[in-house]
Amino acid sequence: MERTLSIIKPDAVERNLSGAILAMIQEAGLTVKAMKMIQLSKKQAEGFYAVHKERPFFDSLTEFMCSGPVVVSILEGDDAIAKYRALMGATNPANAEEGTIRKKYALDIEKNSVHGSDAPETAAFETKYFFNDLEIVG
Ligand code: GDP
C-alpha cells in the first residue's frame, strides 16, 4: 500500500467538478484517507511548489493555485503514486490520453485541474504539508 497527495485545483473546484473527479479517483481503485477544502495563501502555494521556484511559470502557477478553493486529499492504494499519475494524464492536456482527468477537464497546461505527487519523497513532503496524523484515517 502506498499513499499520494491529490489536489483538485481551483479551475476544477470553480467548475463544480470535484465530485466527478473524486468519482474517477475512486473508480480507479484509490481510497480517500483524508480530505479537506481550503484556500491557499500565496506564501502557502509558494511553499508547496518550492521545487519549481526557478521555473518561468512559478509566479503565474502560485497565483493560480491561490485564486480559489482547492480540495486536497490523501489517496491510498497499490502503486498509488503511479496509478494516480496515470489517471491524471500528461501535464499539458493537449498531450493527455483519452480517459484521463486532464484530457476530460483540464483547460490548459497551467489550469490542468489536478495535482498528484510524483515520487515517494514528494508524497511524504506533500501529505505532511497539508495533513497532520490526526486528520488521516487508518
Ligand atoms: P505535473 O507533475 O504534471 O503537475 O507537472 P510539473 O510538476 O511539471 O508542473 C507543476 C504544475 O505547474 C503543472 O501541473 C502546471 O499547473 C504548471 N505548469 C507546468 N508547466 C507549465 C508551463 O509550461 N506553463 C505554465 N504556465 N504552467 C505550467
Side-chain angles (χ1 to χ4, degrees), residues 15 57 66:
R15 288 176 288 149
F57 55 82
C66 65

Side-chain angles (χ1 to χ4, degrees), residues 10-28:
D11 69 285
V13 175
E14 187 184 24
R15 288 176 288 149
N16 271 343
L17 294 171
S18 304
I21 290 171
L22 282 164
M24 289 177 77
I25 287 169
Q26 292 180 313
E27 278 156 19

Side-chain angles (χ1 to χ4, degrees), residues 9 49 52 55 57 60-61 85 91 102 109-110 112:
K9 295 185 179 182
Y49 278 117
H52 291 311
R55 310 275 283 271
F57 55 82
S60 173
L61 170 64
R85 298 280 302 177
T91 308
R102 284 168 167 168
I109 193 169
E110 180 176 274
N112 58 6

Side-chain angles (χ1 to χ4, degrees), residues 47-121:
F48 180 75
Y49 278 117
V51 289
H52 291 311
K53 65 176 181 297
E54 306 304 335
R55 310 275 283 271
F57 55 82
F58 181 70
D59 192 54
S60 173
L61 170 64
T62 52
E63 279 290 337
F64 161 58
M65 288 300 289
C66 65
S67 67
V70 294
V71 175
V72 288
S73 58
I74 296 176
L75 309 178
E76 186 178 85
D78 288 329
D79 217 8
I81 294 171
K83 190 182 264 186
Y84 187 46
R85 298 280 302 177
L87 178 64
M88 285 165 43
T91 308
N92 186 343
N95 304 326
E97 284 182 39
E98 285 299 334
T100 62
I101 296 170
R102 284 168 167 168
K103 175 73 178 181
K104 206 163 176 194
Y105 296 124
L107 298 176
D108 56 42
I109 193 169
E110 180 176 274
K111 295 176 176 58
N112 58 6
S113 301
V114 280
H115 167 86
S117 311
D118 62 3
E121 307 74 48

